[in-house]
Each structure stands twice: as structure tokens, then as C-alpha cells.
Amino acid sequence: MKEAEIRRLLAANLLCALSIVLTAVVPSFFLEGFTVLGTHLTWLCVCSVCVGALNVILHLALKPSQSPKRSSFAQKISRFLKCCIYFFMSCILFHAIIVLYGAPLIESVTETFLFAVLLSTFTTLQCLCILGPNIQAWIRVFSKNGAMSIWESSLQITTVCSILGAWFGAFPIPLDWDRPWQVWPISCSLGATFGYMAGLIIAPLWIHWNRKQLTYKSR
Amino acid sequence: MQRWPVVLFLAWVCFLFFAGIGLFMSGFLLTRIELASSSSCSDPLVPPPWEGQSLPPGSCWAPQRFSKAVLVIIDALRFEFARFDPGKASPLPYENKLGVLHHLATSQPRHARLYRFRADPPTATMQRIKGLTTGSLPTFIDVGSNFASYAIQEDNLLAQLVQNGRRVVFMGDDTWEGLFPKKFFRSYFFPSFNVKDLHTVDDGILQHLYPTVDSGEWDMLIAHFLGVDHCGHKHGPDHPEMAKKLTQMNEMLRSLVDHLGNDTLLLVAGDHGMTETGDHGGDSEKEVNAALFVYSRTPLFGSGPPEEPETIPQVNLVPTVALLLGVPIPYSNIGEVMAELFSGDGDTVSAALQQLSVYHINAKQVDRFLHSYSLVAQDLPAEQLQHLQELFSSTVEEHTQLLAEVQGTTLVPPELESRLGSLIGRFQLYLREARAVCTQSWARFHPLRMVGGCILVAASCLLCYVASELATSSDSFYRSCLLYPLLWGLMGAALLGLAHIFTQEGLDLLLVSSWAAAASQMGFFWHWWVQHPKRARLVGSQPPLASSGLRQRLRAWLGLAFPMGILFFRCGAMFSDSFVVAEARVAPFLLASLVMLLVGKLHWDGHLTVPESPKQQLLGFSSYRKDIWYLLCLVAVLLVCVRLSGFFHQCREEIPQCRPSLFLSPLASLRNTRAKNLFYLLCVALLAGLVYAVRSWLRHYGNLNSSDPLVLFVRWGFPLVVLCIACYWAVASSTDDSLGKLQELVQVAVVAFPWAVYGLASVGLLLLLCNPMTVFAKDTRESAGSIVTPYLGVPSSEVDFLHVIPQIYKRMQESQKSRLERGSCRATVAAYGLGSVYSAALVIALTLLGFLLMLLHSERLSFAFLLLFLEAFVLLHIHTCARGLAGDAEPFSVPWYAVISWLLAASQFFYSTGHQPIFPAIHWNAAFVGFHLDHSTNLLPAVLVGANTFASHILFAGSWLPPAPALALCV
């Protein structure tokens, strides 16, 4: 059962990674002059929307959280609204943290916000999909021995990888190489994206190799 | 703990660091002392005349050969750019482009000549301009009379021309404006900083060049073209753009030559070369190899050009041009005249005599300079100076003798010619050796010393780490870590001294001390290594613990990895030019990351959540502890502080689009009166708030309840200091004309108020040093037999409590004492308000220092200081909070993340108090706080400017002991 689930996880993650690659390639057929670096904001939007949509679809298709009790339509709506609010709040929070880390306050607000949206898509949206709008579950997952399924382990890994990627993405900015990708926020968003993709690929492998040690607490 | 070993140990570590830094600096920072003297026409340097020749009017020192000169400086004109090789089939973009030089040199060999022009490192434009005008070797630090301005203080060619009534016209690079303020008769400056801009400067010059030349209203015209240099920076030399730029220069020179008159000398020079990537600044062959082209319409040279162009050092241009134009050679020149330009039209003998006379002047001038330089500085080796002096006097004597013989016509031409030739050779030898001696000490890096210094500093860091680990574990710490290394060091120094005595060489104090430092370090590490295995064996004797110990150690290392990784990244960033430029943003970024990492780690380890009850475990829920919100608020405040402090930044010239913070300028520079008043009130309110906060903090933790002088000082001295600072700011920021008659009073006040602050602060610090306790202390020696007062009923009032509690405490203490220290009669001191007994003294000292440093900064930077204090406070709070949450019991062991965040905050506030590690960003105004006129000594302004520059480090390092205030905060 575990092997099968790992395979499902791998497939889902590969699909996500593939979708990111496609967002860099496909839009250039429809949009005139589209490149990831040149029209970075467009790409940020496209990537966030695609990854977000794919995550939601995968979540609905695979149902990794296996919520035991059926909920009414009104509950579902309220859950959905809560999710939306959480996502928006996380965007604002990421924006604030990015500015506190030294991003320009007034200039290029759009860029910063879209970068925050991208980061939220890579981190918060995943949490929302897998854990639902349940802060206590989030707290549990992001502490040692807190993961209860391979999906949650994967969530840990991808989230940490995305944020680390964004952090490392800031490093080349001061260098005087005069490359187009050193402009704010391109290097950071690329870093986050590569970190996320790396996380997606590492997660199933890591879980596979450590499947003996990983004994999840059953409910 | 013993007191003296600690002090000695710290002093020894200081010595190690100073020795390492000193060694590095002696190899890297080339220094030279600028002499203020300048040459004048009446200096007695003129050689005895021969054949009754006298100076024509308007000439100084030597007869004037040209009345006008045009100096065209093409920035970064490498020799290969100027050379023309007609045989080349497929020239590179930068080759064979300056055809006009080749044409002139071949068609008029006695009028024109091309030279290799050797630049001396550092090959940066500003240093080169200095070299091309003073005839000296500028170093990175030219110790002159005035640090604060770029202006060249030394005697130079332009100053000599202006002094002798010549009109100097300049067009081009605006660096010259700063270097020679108010020297130019007319000037056209164009912005030079944007290296991406290839055309502004050149087109601007071309627009003015020919009309100016034709108008004739000039005696010296300097045109400094930047296009070639900028093209090199942008595209590199091997690029079609370079070909275009050089072709443009060729056209410019071609038409310029047509505009020149017969009495005009044309000099085309490159100030330095460029590497294959278009950079310059170092001392590689391609960077120092520039071109010089000389041309005039009247014949210049006695003979045709040599096969291979001659190589001449750049400093040679100054004496040559000076004497050709008939002005004195600048005082500090060490260049040698290009004698072939002085040969004139006569026969060989008269040409040689003429050359000898200019050599004579040149040699006398160099000798005078070396003599005055050796009087003020010792960096030129004495024996070599002695040797030069002998060479000079013998040559001059021989020259005089020869002239006498020539006048007496006792010599026949063949013998005369050979003697003239040998004399010229001796003059050349003297001048070249003199220059070599100067180059040796001014223009050469010592890589060995630099590497040695780096190693010494790195080893000292390692030593500090090892010592900090050892201090807690080893009993014989001071014997192994202090005594033996000191002995080793002394032995090393003594051996070196003996060796010097035997070899009779001069003793370089710096070298001796660095060898001593290295020896003592070796001693330390050796003893540490010898003791190491013993401890390892002790650990090994408990086999069951060994494996778990290993795992624990591994985990401890992993815990260290994050903060240490950030530290190593910061160290590594020092080796990258870009990161050094961006350090003002790197330090806050790393600090924020470190703190976030700390919170993340606490969360990951589950310290932030309440321990799970079985029911919660069942549901898989966790919830946060209550004090997590406190921690999160602190982190948020810290991040906001870090971000806000970025608003007080200063700019580096490497980032042209950067604008310095508005808060850096003093209030006096504000035009808007209302804004000025508002800011003034804010600043004063801030000071008052700081005093209030400190006092109420001290009182809250039970201080200020004794009647010591220090407590009185905190009560009354602090407000007084604030009052003085406020008055000083008011006086200093007022406009001059608004005070009218009170002018004289203001003059007094501007000096008196800072002195009052200095005085009060030093009184406070002295009081603190004498008696740092601000809590009520009681000596228990005399009241040995006292007992608790009899019970008088239920303690109803606070007064009763105040009476009883000390007595109970005393009783407990006595019983402890009688048990522990039986027989010893040392005084035990009972103190109340123990929680902050250590930190109160520190807080008072820091506040006082903070006031002093705020006084030295411009008014509005006090906001930055407020942020500094707030951030330090919050950092300590986070530290205590995190320790509390993590359940760390040991109060006196400081984790590495705390130390590193402290360090990062210190360097962050170095930038946030408006500083940058570059010379133009130093706040020179600080030297004049409390001093109306110039200083008589250099020590006091150095202390003031140093305190201003390192304000953040002083404040942070002054409280280097995070646990002590932290302890107080958490009690």
C-alpha cells in the first residue's frame, strides 16, 4: 500500500514539475514576445495560476487527506471561503516579510506582491490543499516527527525547499554580472521555483529511501 | 576568578589581532607623507651659467622653450592602441587606428616621437592624474594636511603654472574639478562617473576644443577624453566600438595638429592601460603600459627616433613640461627630465651642456625633496639615502668643475664630449636610483606580508574559539593558555632581536612583533594539542557513553552549522567586491535570516507548542504556548527595526543611482524653518525619552535605591547631559544671520556645550569605574551578631516588609558564610535588587557612551541610535525568551547564534549610522564638535572621528556580554 502511495505521490509531483516547465514554454505560442525573463510578471501570474489550479485538481482527484466525515454543502462553502482568506493573508504576510528582508518598499510593489503570491502558491496553497484551513494541523506538520503521512512529509520538504530557494535566490542580486535575471525579483522567484521543483523531486525519493524509518502515527 | 590573568589574556589576544592587522596593512596600504612645501622661481637651484647665458624674462630655473602646451589625455590609451604597424594584414579592432601619430612620427622624425609611458600602480585615474601633475607616486593613502577634500595639496604642475601667471584651460573628466579647485582659467567639466556612457565627455570636449585653441586665450590646455576608457569598461578592447572610438580620437588629433601654432608643444598621453577585459587598477603589464606622443611644429629632437620606442616612467612628464614651459619643477617631483627634448639646434657640445644644466636643476630639486622628506618620515631607508646623497654631491661638484674648465677653454672637443657623456650618465644614474628608492617604499605591495597578516588574524580567531571552549573545561587554563604562549612569544622576540644584533640590520618593530605573535600562537596551539589526548582518553574510559556522546556531538555540530554557515558566508563575502559594495544590505539580510531561523528551529523542535496531552495526541492537534506571541512580537519588532535602520544609509560612489539618506545632513542645512523646528523637537524628545526609559528601567529592576554618587549622577546628570546636547543642537542648527548681536555668545556656546557634555560623561564614567553598584549594598562584617528583630505582629505595612526581608536575607547569608568560609575574614556584601546588579552598570555606561556618540553625529541620526538601542534590547529579549522556551538551564554559556547576531547587528548599524567603509563617507565634522578652530594635535580629532565612525561597534562591543543584561531582563 505504501509503495503504491509513494508512486502516486511521485506521479503527482512529476506532474506539478512538468506543469512549471510547461508554463515557461507554452505561453510563448499564444503571447507575442513572451519569455520568462523578459515578461517576468506575466510568467509569475501564469505559473502561480497553473500550479495553483493543478494542485487543487490533484487534491480533488487523489484525496490524500481522506477526511473521514462527510460535510454539508454550507460547510464546504465556508471551508472554501476560509481557504481563500488564508491564502490572501499569507500573500500579505509574505509580502511584508519580503519587504522586511530588504525589498524596496514603494517601487516595484507589483513585482514584490506577485513574488509573494508565487511563494504562497508553492507553500500555503499546498498546505491548504492537504491540511485544510486548520492552523493547528499546520503547526503539527511543521515540527519534528509531526508528519502523519507521506503527503505531509512531501509537504514539509517542498515548502522548506521553496523558501530556501527563494532565500538563496537573493544572493546573486548584488553581484556585478549585469545579467537580466539579477533584477528584483527574478532571481528570487526563479530560486523559489527551482527550489520547489527540487523539493517535488526529492520528496518521493527521500521518502522511498527512508520508508523503513518513517513510521507514521496512525490516528 | 583571578583578575590579572584575565586582563593579561585579553591584552595578549588584542596584541595578536593588532600584530596580524598591522602586518597586513604594512603590505597592502601604501602610504606616503605629502609635503606642503612648494617650489618657487627664486629657489637657489639654478646651476652656474655657462657662456654667460642668462635666463630670458618669463622663465624660471631654465629658459622657456615653448610658450604654450596642449596636453591631450586619452584615458586608458594603451601603448598598443597608439602603435601603428603598416605591415599588419588583419589588425585587431584596437590596432592601427591612430594613424596620424605614425604619419607625424615618420614624416617629421625631429618633430614627433612616440614613447612607452610606464604608469606606476595603482593605475586608477585619480591616482594617475595626481602622478601626472605632481611628479610623485600617489599611494592609496596620501597623508596630507587635509583628509577631508580630494584637492591635491602637494605642489603640482598646475599650481606652478598658475603661480607664474599662466592661464590653464581644462576640458573633460570632472575628476579634475575636485583635484584642482579654482586653478583653471576656464574649464568645461563633464560628468565622468557613468562608465556606460561613451560619448558625453568626448563630444563635449570636441565642441569646445577647436574654438578654444583658436582663441589663443590659454597657455596650457588640458583635454581629458574618457571615451576609450569607458568603451574598455563596457565592451573591452577587442570590440568594434573600440575601433570607432579610436578612429574618432585619430580624427580629433589630426585636426588638432592643424590648429596648433609654432610655439606650441603637443603631448598626447594615456594615463594607464587596460587589461583584456578593459579593467585597470592593478600592476599587470597591460595596465601600466600606456602611450605618450610628443609633437611640435618646431624641431624638438637632435636626432631621429630609435628603432624601438623608448620606455619612460610617467613621472618624467612633469619636470620635462615644467622646464620646457619655463616654470619651476613641483617640489615633490621624483621624475627625471626627458633630456633629448632640451638638446636644441646647436652642436653636440652645446646640446650636451644644455642637457647637463637641466639635469643639474632636476637633480638638485630631487635632492632637496629627498632631504625634506627624510626629515618628516622614516620610510625611506637611511643608508640608501646616504648613498644617494654622496652620488649627488660628487656629480654636482664634477659638473661645476667641468663648467669652469669649459669656460677656461682648457678642454678639447673629443675629451670634452666623453666627459660630458659620462657626467650625463651619472646624473641619470642618480635620478633613477632616487626614483627606485621611492618606488620601492611607496608603490609596491608586499604579498608575503599580506598573506602573513591574514594567516595571523585567522589563527587568532581560531585561538579565540579554542580558548572559549577551553575556559570552561580546563583547570590549568591560564598556565597553558597564557603563561607558556607568552614565554614562547618572548623567546621568539628575543631570538629575533639577537639575530638582528648579530647581523647588524635595522630592527623592524612590526616584523618582530608579528613573529612574536606567531611564536606565542604556536605555543598556545602546541600546549593545547599536547593536553588534548588526555581529555580524549578520559572520555574514552566510559565506553557506554562514547557512542551517545558522538551522536550528541554530531547533533551539536549540526546545531552550530547554521549560525556558523551564516558567519562563514559573511566572511566569504569580504572576498567579493560586489558583496563588499552591497554589505550595507547583506548584514541586515543575514541578521533577519538568522533570527527567523532561530524561530523556525524552535518551532521544529517543538519548543513553541505546549506538551501534548493524551487527548490532543489522539486528535493530532497541537497549540502554541502563550509566550510564543511575545516572542513573535519581538521578532516582528526586530525585523521592523532592521528595515527602518536602512533609511539612514550613506552611498558609495560605485552605485551612481543611490541617493544618500536625507537624515544625514545636519539640521542647519534645512531651509524650511518649520521642518527644522519639528525635527529638532523630535530629536530632543527622543533624548528625553531615552533618559526616561533608562531611569524607569533601572528603577523597575530595583536599582537607584542607594545614595551613591553614581545614583545621584543618573538622577541629575543624565537630564543635564540631555539639556546640554539639546542646547548645543539648538545653537549649531541655527542660521548665522538670525542671531545678529548674539554672534559672539554663540561662538562660545558652540564650544562650551559639547565640553560640558564631555565633562559630564567622563565624570559619569569615572564614577561608574569607582563604584559600579547602583543597588543598596550593606557590609555585614561589623554586624556579625545581629539577629532578626523580634516578631511584632503581622507585618501590616510595606515598611515592615522592608525591615524584615533584609534581615532574613542577612541571617541566611550568615549561616551560609559560617558554613562555607569558616576562618576567612573576607567581607561579604549584601545587596538588594540583585537581578540587575551587573547589567545596571552596563546600561548606564552604554547610555553615557550613546549620548557622547550622538553628540558627534548629526542631529537626526539620533533616530538611528534609538533604533540601535531598541534593536539591541529586542535581540537580548529574543535571546532570553528563546533560552527560556528551549529550556536551557546554563545561564552563562552563550550560544553561537546570539554572538553572531550581535556581530551582525553591530555591522548593520555601522552602515545605519550613515557610514561606509570609504574615505569620502567619513564624518569629518565630528572632529570639530566642541572645537571652533583647527586642532593643534592630530590625536584629538582622530579620537573624535574614530568614535564617530565606530559608534555602532563601540556600543555593541561595549556590551559584548549578552548574558549579563539578558539575565537581568529575564529576572
Side-chain angles (χ1 to χ4, degrees), chain B residues 656-722:
Chain B
Q657 69 271 16
C658 168
R659 292 276 158 275
S661 162
L662 294 175
F663 292 99
L664 295 184
S665 56
L667 276 183
S669 68
L670 275 185
R671 293 266 175 75
N672 185 346
T673 324
R674 183 180 283 181
K676 190 196 275 188
N677 290 342
L678 185 71
F679 274 121
Y680 175 72
L681 286 179
L682 270 177
C683 292
V684 173
L686 186 150
L687 281 184
L690 191 63
V691 168
Y692 179 75
V694 167
R695 275 181 59 174
S696 51
W697 183 85
L698 286 175
R699 193 164 293 155
H700 180 250
Y701 286 105
N703 290 282
L704 303 186
N705 53 7
S706 71
S707 54
D708 279 339
L710 183 63
V711 174
L712 279 181
F713 184 83
V714 173
R715 287 226 177 108
W716 300 108
F718 273 23
L720 205 60
V721 170
V722 169

Side-chain angles (χ1 to χ4, degrees), chain B residues 132-174:
Chain B
L132 278 173
T133 52
T134 59
S136 184
L137 304 173
T139 56
F140 286 121
I141 299 180
D142 289 341
V143 186
S145 53
N146 189 358
F147 251 142
S149 86
Y150 272 135
I152 294 184
Q153 306 284 319
E154 262 184 318
D155 193 16
N156 59 66
L157 191 59
L158 269 72
Q160 285 301 337
L161 286 166
V162 172
Q163 198 176 312
N164 289 287
R166 311 295 170 86
R167 294 161 297 179
V168 183
V169 175
F170 179 82
M171 46 190 75
D173 184 352
D174 62 358

